[in-house]
Amino acid sequence: MAATGLRMGVVGGSVAGCATAVAGVRAGADVTVYERSAGALQDRGLGVVVPPSLHERLVGAGYLDAAMPTAPVATRVWLTRAAGGRSAREFARQPSPVTPCNWGLLWQALRTAASGAHHHRGRPVTSVGRAPAGRAVVRTAEGEETYDVVVGADGHASLTRQALAPGLRPSPAGYTVWRGTLPLSALTDHRRPLELLREAWVTIGFPGGHGIFYLIPRGGGAGPDDRLLAYAVYATPPGPPPGEVAHVRDVAERYFPEEWADIVARGEHTAMTCHPVTDLHAPLAADPPFLLAGDAAGVTRPHTASGAVKALQDALCLEEALRTCASPAEALRSYARERTPEGARLVELGRRLGRAQVEQTPDWAALDQEAVDAWCRATLAGATSYLYARVAPEAQAQADPVGD
Ligand SMILES: Cc1cc2nc3c(=O)[nH]c(=O)nc-3n(C[C@H](O)[C@H](O)[C@H](O)COP(=O)(O)OP(=O)(O)OC[C@H]3O[C@@H](n4cnc5c(N)ncnc54)[C@H](O)[C@@H]3O)c2cc1C
C-alpha cells in the first residue's frame, strides 16, 4: 500500500515528530504536525550520537542532508586518574565508530526534510481520542481534526501515550547525568585532551560513575569543521536526584585527571544541565489508529546513546510499514511487532550498562585492555549495541546491531 490519501496527525515536532512526518510524506500521506513550542527548537539540545550506518541510510533515504555537519570518530578511549597522581592513565582503546551530531542541526535537517507536511507551531494538543470508523481525533484550543493515524511523538511525558498505556510512569535510576558543552576556544591550553578528542570519544571512569567526552559540530552558522566539546557525567548526587549543578565539579575535582576536571569546571560556566536518569517503555508501540515514536514510546538510560537513534529508526520502520502493508491498521500492527521489543531491549540494555558503569563501578585502576573487553562482553551478556560493535563480534553475528 502506498499511503496516498492517508491523513496522519503527528503530536510533537521535535526529532521523532519531524522524522515520522518525513516517513509519512515519503509514503504518500497527508501529514499535519502539532508542536507545542512556538519557537524553533534548534537551541534545545547538545550532542547526539548515531551509528555511521544509520546516518548513511538517512542521508540516502532523504531524511538528512549530506551537507549536515557531523564529527565522526572511530575509536573509544578509556581513561582514569593515574594512581597516586592527577595525570590521565589510558587503560583501553576499542574500535567504536560513531557519528556525533549537533542536536540542533539534526533537528533543523529533519525539519527541512519534513517541509512537505503542514506544521502548526505553538499549537499544544490538549487531548487525543478514538473516533468512529477506526479513526482518531486530535484536539487543540483551536478545535479538533480527525485522522486515519495519529503519531504520538510528544516526548517522555507523552499525552498520546495515555491512549495506549494510561498511567505509565518512568522508573528512576537513582542517579543523575550532568551534560555540558564548551567551545574549543576555551580549551586552547588543553592540547592533549583536544588531540585525543579529534580521533576518539573518551570515557573517564571513577568510583561511582563515569564521564563521556566527544566533539560535535558547533552549529549556529559556524563552519562545518568548527567543533564544540560535549560531555555527560553520570554519578549519584548526595541528596535526591537531580542534585546541584555544582556537584559535578566536586566529582571531577576529586576523581578526574587534572585537565579533564578543569574542562568540567569550565563547562559549569558555559552550558550545563543536570537531570535524573530514568527509563520507561510502553507495552505496545502502536495500537491502531495510534502509534508512538521516539521518547513517547520509550526512554532508555542514555548509556545506550539511543534516544535520537531510536526515534530515527522508528520513522524508517513506519515508512516501510506504510509502503508495504495492505492497510494503515496492518502497517501499525507491523510497526508494533518490530518496535515494541526493540524498545524493551534498549531499556534492559541501558539498565545493564548503568549498573556496570554507575551503580557498581569496577576498580578502574585495576583494568587493562583485556579486562575492559571482557567486562564489556559480560555487561552486554549477548546483547548488541553499536557503541560496542567490535567488542563482542560473536554476538554481533547473531543479531542486527542497534542502529542498522
Ligand atoms: C530540551 C531537550 C534537550 C535534549 N537534548 C538531548 C541531547 O543533547 N542529546 C540527546 O541524545 N538527546 C537529547 N534530547 C533527547 C532527544 O532529543 C530524544 O531522546 C530524541 O531525540 C527523541 O526525541 P522526541 O522527539 O521523541 O522527544 P522530544 O525531543 O522530547 O520532543 C517532544 C516534542 O513534543 C512536543 N510536545 C509535547 N507535548 C505536546 C503536546 N501536548 N502538543 C504538542 N506538542 C507537544 C514538545 O514540545 C517537544 O518538541 C533532548 C530532548 C529535549 C526535549
Side-chain angles (χ1 to χ4, degrees):
M1 169 198 84
T4 312
L6 181 89
R7 278 172 52 80
M8 183 170 125
V10 179
V11 187
S14 180
V15 170
C18 286
T20 50
V22 178
V25 169
R26 282 173 55 82
D30 179 20
V31 180
T32 301
V33 179
Y34 298 85
E35 168 51 49
R36 179 174 57 193
S37 302
L41 306 185
Q42 67 258 33
D43 295 331
R44 277 184 166 188
L46 309 171
V48 183
V49 175
V50 303
S53 56
L54 178 64
H55 176 256
E56 276 165 34
R57 193 173 158 200
L58 291 164
V59 169
Y63 285 68
L64 295 180
D65 187 336
M68 182 189 86
T70 60
V73 289
T75 306
R76 179 182 199 170
V77 165
W78 296 79
L79 301 178
T80 193
R81 191 193 267 197
R86 298 199 66 203
S87 60
R89 179 177 84 88
E90 179 180 326
F91 59 95
R93 198 170 262 249
Q94 294 170 326
S96 177
V98 294
T99 302
C101 306
N102 177 306
W103 191 94
L105 296 180
L106 180 75
W107 175 78
Q108 258 172 349
L110 291 166
R111 175 65 185 80
T112 302
S115 57
H118 314 282
H119 290 265
H120 297 301
R121 271 189 201 165
R123 187 81 61 94
V125 169
T126 51
S127 69
V128 298
R130 293 184 186 272
R135 304 178 86 211
V137 62
V138 169
R139 299 185 190 92
T140 66
E142 283 76 15
E144 59 179 56
E145 286 286 337
T146 305
Y147 295 96
D148 303 304
V149 169
V150 166
V151 174
D154 42 352
H156 65 98
S158 171
L159 167 151
T160 317
R161 194 173 57 230
Q162 295 305 315
L164 273 75
L168 191 66
R169 293 273 175 275
S171 307
Y175 55 87
T176 292
V177 56
W178 287 261
R179 288 182 205 259
T181 55
L182 264 183
L184 294 199
S185 55
L187 299 175
T188 44
D189 50 341
H190 289 60
R191 197 174 50 80
R192 270 173 308 169
L194 269 181
E195 277 170 11
L196 193 55
L197 286 163
R198 292 208 187 273
E199 58 173 295
W201 61 285
V202 171
T203 302
I204 297 180
F206 62 89
H210 69 283
I212 303 280
F213 295 75
Y214 56 102
L215 300 186
I216 59 170
R218 180 165 187 159
D225 296 325
D226 274 5
R227 299 281 181 262
L228 276 180
L229 169 64
Y231 64 87
V233 178
Y234 299 88
T236 306
E244 298 289 323
V245 166
H247 176 66
V248 73
R249 182 170 20 95
D250 298 337
V251 167
E253 189 59 29
R254 202 170 327 144
Y255 297 123
F256 280 30
E258 189 171 13
E259 289 187 296
W260 298 87
D262 188 48
I263 289 172
V264 173
R266 292 182 192 197
E268 192 191 331
H269 303 292
T270 52
M272 194 195 283
T273 61
C274 69
H275 57 88
V277 174
T278 61
D279 60 31
L280 167 153
H281 171 241
L284 207 50
D287 183 14
F290 297 108
L291 176 146
L292 301 174
D295 287 2
V299 177
T300 182
R301 297 190 194 182
H303 317 295
T304 58
S306 64
V309 171
K310 192 165 71 63
L312 296 164
Q313 290 173 326
D314 288 346
L316 290 170
C317 179
L318 173 61
E319 181 185 341
E320 173 76 8
L322 287 175
R323 282 185 189 279
T324 56
C325 293
S327 69
E330 182 45 40
L332 267 56
R333 281 193 282 270
S334 164
Y335 174 94
R337 279 195 296 277
E338 190 171 322
R339 300 311 290 164
T340 306
E342 176 62 1
R345 190 186 82 79
L346 286 170
V347 165
E348 177 51 31
L349 179 61
R351 289 179 182 176
R352 274 210 301 279
L353 292 171
R355 265 195 299 277
Q357 297 180 12
V358 184
E359 295 166 87
Q360 297 164 15
T361 46
D363 178 5
W364 302 98
L367 294 183
D368 59 12
Q369 180 74 51
E370 205 179 320
V372 170
D373 289 344
W375 171 69
C376 288
R377 271 196 295 275
T379 304
L380 291 172
T384 56
S385 159
Y386 72 97
L387 300 179
Y388 301 85
R390 311 286 162 79
V391 172
E394 65 281 10
Q396 297 293 314
Q398 291 164 17
D400 287 332
V402 175
D404 281 323

